Amino acid sequence: MSLRNNGRLSRREILKALSMCAAGSAMGPLLTGCRDALTTPAALEQLGGVRQARLDGKPRFLIVVGAVGGASIVDSMLAVRASETTAAGGDAAKLNTFADAQVQNVDGSPFRAVKVEAEVLGSIPMKLKTDQLPFVKKYKDSMLVATSVGTSVNHVIAQKRSLTGSAAWRGRTLQECVALQYGAGFPLPNVNMGNGGFSERGTDNSLPAYCYGEVVTNPSFWPLGLDGMKGLKDVPSRDVVNLARVVRNSLDAQSVFGKTFDDAAALELWNEQRTSGQASLEVQDLISRLNMMPDNPQETPLSEYGLSSSPDAERLRAVFPNYMTDPVEGQAALAFLLIKNRVSVSVTLGPSFNIAYGSSKQFTNPPLAYDFSHNEHRSVQAFMWSRMMDTIDKLIELLESEPFDSSGESLWDRSLIYMATEFGRTRTRQAGATQFGTGHDLNNGFMILSPMVRGNTVLGGVDPKTTLTYGFDPRTGAPLPGKMEANEADIFSGILTAMGVDTSGSGLPDASAFART
């Protein structure tokens, strides 16, 4: 067993070593070498997070929903009534407050739900009727809202900082941390269908390569690329193709290029991915198990090319009928398949700045997504919140319907959804305006959904006089009125804490207030 990459064990060497160790005394003298290899500092760091998942056999799953453009928390669970601002001495007519009847209480909960009807979506004539109450009532016991103050109002920078806690732990993203903890042995632990900064990897280059995100741009067609020969007509047998691959790899290794860059990390990763990595994907038939498309002779003649659909495809097409035209529906469907089939432990999805239409030629994504609020804030926020809540609701129902194992847990019991937004929106408006535009603002909050978080909880709060959020103690959860300092690291640490990720030695703040006790 060799150590590569400056003494780090490769992922496959670690898995091989684990299997050797599991054989116990039957391995004889090899057991000592196995144990020594697995106790190197690099291996311990790499395996430290994996150990718990392997001992209890229960990984946890992170789903990041990137709210591109700035999802405003005071247009959802922390909305403010005009009468509350007036009573606090503020000017309700000049702030982003709602008519009292538009803000609904949620029984037994600190959350609120907004109800908005409009005739336009920004500058687009479109009747709008939204009501957040059913969603909030349904998931309040698994919902936590944490107020936030960010450090950037640049789209891409703020997106990435919402994933790294502003480089809180060596620049690692939440997805990478979860992949390190639970992803060893999964085919593609970290699949990223996000946009902009939500799709970027972190800056910690010491992580195993499998922790970094596999970027997917088209969730409906991407599974068709997971086999090097299946789906092609008139190709030789797999044995012949595999033989050709062996010859190709041998020739490449003997070439001037192969010899010159033999020790290059990039080439080593490439060679691993197209040999053992490719084989591990093909043997699991992911090209079929993740395929949502129907076998349609006119449009998608799968059987003609030796392909088939996922056993869940028909159900997913019924739940997400716009999966081919609405990217977010397609992403959510693929997210479910990746988790159910134990392909990934972290999946990222979310809208983009691009316009999208559903099958009925209705907008499913306005231009700029949440950032179309520059044009008209109230209706755009209502539309986008409604859209994302609907998608999340359908995804949760799918996860709830699938058993995790024989213990009685569902996939949802071990999942966490983090609606990661870039920033908030400015709070001011022209006096009494019901249609107004907003800019970017550091002040906001995040919605987190999971049976693993402290449900029915708001960490922080809103000052009704200004409609600005204030902070909280990440350890105790105590509200701290007046606290307006950036707290990106607190959010980052809280999510990892709820996910059961080992953060020892990270220097992250104690964020015990996030986890369900």
Side-chain angles (χ1 to χ4, degrees):
M1 184 179 300
S2 62
L3 289 175
R4 304 181 296 174
N5 297 334
N6 298 321
R8 295 186 66 83
L9 285 167
S10 76
R11 175 191 182 192
R12 299 192 181 281
E13 286 171 332
I14 286 179
L15 294 176
K16 181 179 178 182
L18 283 168
S19 64
M20 289 168 58
C21 289
S25 59
M27 297 302 298
L30 289 176
L31 184 58
T32 302
C34 168
R35 186 182 301 112
D36 291 343
L38 291 176
T39 53
T40 63
L44 283 174
E45 179 187 358
Q46 189 166 342
L47 280 174
V50 176
R51 185 172 291 110
Q52 178 184 350
R54 289 201 170 277
L55 287 177
D56 64 18
K58 291 189 176 183
R60 297 182 179 185
F61 306 100
L62 172 67
I63 302 167
V64 174
V65 179
V68 168
S72 168
I73 204 69
V74 296
D75 285 81
S76 52
M77 281 71 69
L78 301 186
V80 180
R81 297 183 179 92
S83 62
E84 294 169 327
T85 296
T86 300
D91 191 342
K94 292 185 178 180
L95 293 173
N96 181 19
T97 62
F98 288 84
D100 286 16
Q102 290 181 294
V103 179
Q104 304 165 94
N105 285 328
V106 181
D107 292 342
S109 175
F111 302 129
R112 294 175 172 193
V114 175
K115 188 174 184 178
V116 171
E117 296 185 23
E119 296 295 322
V120 295
L121 178 62
S123 57
I124 304 167
M126 179 177 169
K127 287 190 175 181
L128 190 69
K129 187 175 182 179
T130 67
D131 188 354
Q132 300 171 4
L133 186 60
F135 180 90
V136 180
K137 286 177 64 177
K138 185 175 181 179
Y139 294 112
K140 65 182 178 65
D141 291 329
S142 298
M143 182 186 296
L144 180 148
V145 171
T147 59
S148 67
V149 175
T151 54
S152 176
V153 291
N154 174 279
H155 285 291
V156 176
I157 293 173
Q159 287 164 1
K160 187 168 183 178
R161 288 181 182 176
S162 71
L163 302 181
T164 67
S166 194
W169 188 6
R170 303 185 193 175
R172 299 174 180 179
T173 66
L174 290 164
Q175 299 97 314
E176 290 165 356
C177 293
V178 171
L180 179 64
Q181 177 85 26
Y182 299 112
F186 280 67
L188 295 168
N190 180 1
V191 170
N192 195 312
M193 298 176 277
N195 297 276
F198 291 129
S199 67
E200 291 186 8
R201 57 173 279 184
T203 55
D204 186 353
N205 295 323
S206 70
L207 291 172
Y210 71 83
C211 292
Y212 303 125
E214 177 75 17
V215 176
V216 173
T217 57
N218 190 313
S220 299
F221 289 107
W222 173 74
L224 299 178
L226 296 178
D227 194 295
M229 60 175 290
K230 193 171 182 180
L232 299 175
K233 289 185 176 181
D234 303 321
V235 295
S237 69
R238 191 169 290 276
D239 288 342
V240 172
V241 172
N242 287 338
L243 180 60
R245 288 171 172 173
V246 171
V247 173
R248 175 203 64 192
N249 297 339
S250 177
L251 292 175
D252 282 354
Q254 296 175 49
S255 68
V256 173
F257 182 89
K259 291 179 179 179
T260 301
F261 297 102
D262 179 55
D263 294 329
L267 184 59
E268 182 178 309
L269 177 60
W270 165 250
N271 286 331
E272 181 182 5
Q273 287 178 335
R274 72 174 186 172
T275 53
S276 56
Q278 183 176 26
S280 69
L281 294 178
E282 291 178 344
V283 75
Q284 296 185 61
D285 194 30
L286 297 182
I287 191 173
S288 299
R289 293 165 64 200
L290 302 180
N291 181 20
M292 293 170 281
M293 292 186 288
D295 187 7
N296 185 319
Q298 282 72 44
E299 298 178 0
T300 51
L302 300 180
S303 57
E304 182 179 338
Y305 292 87
L307 297 173
S308 59
S309 300
S310 163
D312 295 290
E314 185 174 358
R315 176 168 60 137
L316 288 173
R317 291 194 297 269
V319 174
F320 298 112
N322 296 314
Y323 75 101
M324 288 292 287
T325 55
D326 180 353
V328 177
E329 284 202 7
Q331 292 166 1
L334 182 58
F336 170 72
L337 289 175
L338 289 167
I339 292 173
K340 177 183 176 179
N341 289 288
R342 302 297 196 274
V343 177
S344 309
V345 293
S346 176
V347 185
T348 303
L349 61 142
S352 71
F353 283 142
N354 298 324
I355 296 174
Y357 293 92
S359 56
S360 60
K361 299 302 180 182
Q362 290 291 315
F363 277 98
T364 57
N365 200 65
L368 303 181
Y370 280 96
D371 204 43
F372 203 36
S373 296
H374 283 293
N375 187 289
E376 207 285 294
H377 178 91
R378 184 64 50 85
S379 65
V380 170
Q381 286 288 322
F383 177 86
M384 288 301 300
W385 271 105
S386 178
R387 180 192 183 203
M388 300 316 299
M389 285 178 174
D390 180 62
T391 302
I392 290 170
D393 178 34
K394 292 174 179 177
L395 180 54
I396 291 175
E397 286 187 342
L398 287 167
L399 294 170
E400 285 179 326
S401 71
E402 290 293 330
F404 174 80
D405 56 18
S406 58
S407 68
E409 286 186 302
S410 70
L411 288 176
W412 174 237
D413 289 323
R414 303 194 66 79
S415 299
L416 182 148
I417 294 177
Y418 168 44
M419 192 164 164
T421 188
E422 306 161 13
F423 36 65
R425 312 296 304 190
T426 53
R427 304 294 203 272
T428 57
R429 59 172 170 162
Q430 290 183 330
T434 57
Q435 291 181 249
F436 56 95
T438 55
H440 303 180
D441 197 287
L442 297 175
N443 187 275
N444 201 27
F446 293 95
M447 179 180 75
I448 303 169
L449 293 163
S450 174
M452 298 180 290
V453 300
R454 184 175 295 177
N456 207 29
T457 296
V458 172
L459 296 179
V462 181
D463 181 352
K465 182 177 181 179
T466 62
T467 70
L468 294 173
T469 62
Y470 54 80
F472 56 92
D473 185 316
R475 184 181 66 83
T476 65
L480 299 175
K483 180 183 178 183
M484 304 291 284
E485 294 84 12
N487 66 337
E488 291 160 315
D490 296 341
I491 308 291
F492 180 88
S493 179
I495 292 170
L496 294 182
T497 299
M499 288 288 296
V501 172
D502 181 5
T503 59
S504 56
S506 66
L508 292 173
D510 181 346
S512 303
F514 284 75
R516 187 179 294 274
T517 55

